[in-house]
Amino acid sequence: MTLDAALSYIHSVAWQGSKPGLSRTRELLQKMGDPQKKLRFIHVAGTNGKGSTCAMLESILRNAGYRTGLYTSPYISRFHERMQVEGRPISDEMLCAVTEFVQPFADAMTDSPTEFELVTAIAMEFFARSGCDIVLLECGMGGELDSTNIIDTPECAVMCTIGLDHMEFLGDTLPAIARTKAGIFKQGGMCVTYPAEAEVEEVYREVAKQRQLDWRRADFSRLHPVSHDLSGQRFTFDGFGTLQLALLGKNQLENAAMALTVVEALREKGWNIPDRAVSEGLSTVQWPGRFELLRTAPDVIADGGHNPQCMRALCENIRAYLPNRKIIAVVGVLADKEYEEMFRPILPYVEKFITVTPPNPRALHAIDLAETLVRLGTKAVAAETVEDGLKLALFMSGQNDAVLVFGSLYMLGDVRNYILGE
């Protein structure tokens, strides 16, 4: 099977759509010999912060000497990014071989898997063939009925921040969404949760009692920022001393606190994770597209923020890292997002918006987004392509200004391609 054939098969229209339930994933994996049963996992859910937390834990565990797997979505530049071993995306050859192995089992199913279910099965086979010691497994949209939830009790289940997103599938209140996502908490397991509203924590408390969980909350009172600039940030976390984090923003410090709480839990279970591995893991972690500095003079910063919660974090980062700077924003969103509410908090910080259409079938057209932003009382102009939008933003910016690109992860591949030449 060629790479084009493998990717064409994976993205086939036959697999499209979202169909709740684990039966298809379970059937497909059983036909494959249940590769996931050969693996151990840290299972991470939540609305925001999942990927960053996974990336930090993967980097820490890899520096501790473990053979790590990482499963995330969506990808930024190339499909292969979605499944990695020891920080390296799956190779063309391995992707072709595993897809060819999975294809006859998927084709034989009466109830066809969705694309995400198919990709999850491919990833499980890849991690098993690669002999991973531990896999950082990021949930897709939900929790209980997410295809990643076919695993047995993980080493630790992790719940990041909860917000109102994908409400048509997950529930229309925070407690309802929390209950759906808490479906990853397995009987007798261990879980670490982000501090949350009382009504959300009551859901966690109830589920933890029902399933006899060892439940821990990350304690942000142990977190003490020391310094920050666009090259990184220093902080202390009680019990770990002073640490350097390559990722930017207060939200990433909180994600680091989540990761460190998981490290403590894993150590209690016998995992050998020395302080050196923690320090090196956090100082070298890479997670593209999260308030990421791509170039200087002018500074170009890319952020995949795509919901109101992300926008609040982005506003915090603007105040912390770009005070009193002229900011030109290049923005694009998907049409199914609450984009009016999303943009309101950031309007005071941006001098002008340049709108683009992300390369996704669900994208809101750049002209429609520009009209919305003008209606909200700001300056906006539509560009033909992401590259055109970036060229215009750079033309309008002086060396001391900043170009901020945000709104959808789906356009960041084009951004990185233009700015970094990837």
Side-chain angles (χ1 to χ4, degrees):
M1 178 178 277
T2 65
L3 179 62
D4 284 346
L7 291 174
S8 177
Y9 180 75
I10 290 168
H11 299 314
S12 168
V13 70
W15 319 122
Q16 296 303 314
S18 178
K19 300 185 287 186
L22 301 178
S23 60
R24 291 173 300 277
T25 310
R26 190 169 285 126
E27 179 185 347
L28 179 54
L29 287 168
Q30 285 174 346
K31 290 175 181 292
M32 294 164 52
D34 281 326
Q36 79 282 2
K37 292 188 179 295
K38 303 171 186 173
L39 300 164
R40 291 189 286 182
F41 297 92
I42 297 172
H43 201 184
V44 184
T47 304
N48 294 312
K50 303 188 297 291
S52 298
T53 303
C54 283
M56 291 181 203
L57 285 166
E58 188 279 328
S59 186
I60 289 169
L61 287 163
R62 174 159 39 98
N63 276 280
Y66 292 104
R67 187 164 174 80
T68 54
L70 176 65
Y71 181 64
T72 60
S73 61
Y75 62 91
I76 290 179
S77 298
R78 200 164 185 246
F79 174 84
H80 301 51
E81 298 166 26
R82 293 190 58 176
M83 52 194 84
Q84 304 180 24
V85 169
E86 294 190 322
R88 294 186 296 273
I90 187 172
S91 67
D92 291 353
E93 294 76 18
M94 179 67 86
L95 180 60
C96 292
V98 174
T99 304
E100 190 169 13
F101 168 74
V102 173
Q103 180 177 5
F105 301 119
D107 287 347
M109 291 172 60
T110 304
D111 187 7
S112 297
T114 66
E115 180 175 330
F116 188 76
E117 291 167 347
L118 179 69
V119 174
T120 299
I122 290 170
M124 294 299 178
E125 180 68 20
F126 168 51
F127 295 137
R129 291 189 185 192
S130 301
C132 290
D133 299 313
I134 186 77
V135 174
L136 285 302
L137 185 66
E138 180 189 351
C139 265
M141 180 174 59
E144 183 177 13
L145 299 179
D146 187 85
S147 66
T148 61
N149 204 30
I150 43 69
I151 64 170
D152 295 330
T153 302
E155 295 296 296
C156 187
V158 183
M159 186 67 68
C160 297
T161 57
I162 296 289
L164 295 173
D165 204 12
H166 300 297
M167 290 184 286
E168 68 275 25
F169 297 104
L170 306 180
D172 57 3
T173 66
L174 286 177
I177 292 172
R179 189 171 297 280
T180 300
K181 290 182 180 288
I184 70 168
F185 298 166
K186 300 289 203 310
Q187 187 72 28
M190 176 183 286
C191 66
V192 170
T193 65
Y194 190 100
E197 294 83 352
E199 57 186 0
V200 170
E201 295 223 332
E202 183 56 37
V203 171
Y204 298 155
R205 184 175 295 107
E206 181 184 330
V207 174
K209 184 177 179 181
Q210 286 174 348
R211 300 178 190 172
Q212 299 174 302
L213 293 168
D214 178 354
W215 171 39
R216 302 148 189 246
R217 299 178 200 81
D219 181 0
F220 290 168
S221 70
R222 300 169 60 190
L223 177 66
H224 311 285
V226 174
S227 63
H228 66 268
D229 57 32
L230 287 173
S231 67
Q233 48 188 338
R234 293 175 70 240
F235 69 101
T236 65
F237 191 74
D238 296 349
F240 286 89
T242 302
L243 297 164
Q244 181 82 17
L245 179 63
L247 307 182
L248 306 180
K250 178 188 172 188
N251 58 312
Q252 296 294 10
L253 288 183
E254 293 173 349
N255 291 334
M258 288 286 288
L260 292 170
T261 306
V262 175
V263 167
E264 290 177 328
L266 292 175
R267 283 173 168 175
E268 289 181 22
K269 295 187 73 172
W271 289 81
N272 180 25
I273 310 171
D275 287 347
R276 171 199 53 77
V278 173
S279 177
E280 291 179 6
L282 291 179
S283 67
T284 60
V285 63
Q286 296 181 339
W287 195 233
R290 278 70 175 183
F291 206 75
E292 178 190 18
L293 181 66
L294 298 180
R295 61 161 277 181
T296 57
D299 293 336
V300 176
I301 296 171
D303 190 274
H306 59 277
N307 58 38
Q309 206 172 24
C310 293
M311 289 305 102
R312 289 192 290 273
L314 183 56
C315 289
E316 279 188 353
N317 287 343
I318 291 172
R319 291 191 293 269
Y321 293 91
L322 304 172
N324 306 314
R325 301 276 293 277
K326 172 186 169 184
I327 297 174
I328 304 296
V330 179
V331 295
V333 297
L334 301 187
D336 57 3
K337 298 295 179 183
E338 297 179 16
Y339 48 89
E340 284 199 35
E341 281 307 304
M342 192 172 94
F343 280 104
R344 286 183 196 277
I346 208 164
L347 296 180
Y349 301 101
V350 175
E351 179 164 309
K352 187 165 188 175
F353 288 89
I354 299 169
T355 62
V356 298
T357 307
N360 185 283
R362 291 155 46 213
L364 181 70
H365 196 280
I367 292 174
D368 295 328
L369 180 56
E371 290 174 350
T372 298
L373 289 167
V374 169
R375 191 169 68 249
L376 292 175
T378 191
K379 298 175 183 177
V381 60
E384 285 286 325
T385 65
V386 173
E387 183 175 322
D388 288 340
L390 290 167
K391 287 178 180 176
L392 179 57
L394 290 169
F395 176 76
M396 296 170 61
S397 302
Q399 287 201 338
N400 296 321
D401 300 333
V403 175
L404 186 57
V405 188
F406 68 93
S408 174
L409 278 169
Y410 290 101
M411 66 184 188
L412 294 191
D414 290 345
V415 173
R416 294 174 67 83
N417 183 54
Y418 180 71
I419 300 295
L420 302 177
E422 288 186 346

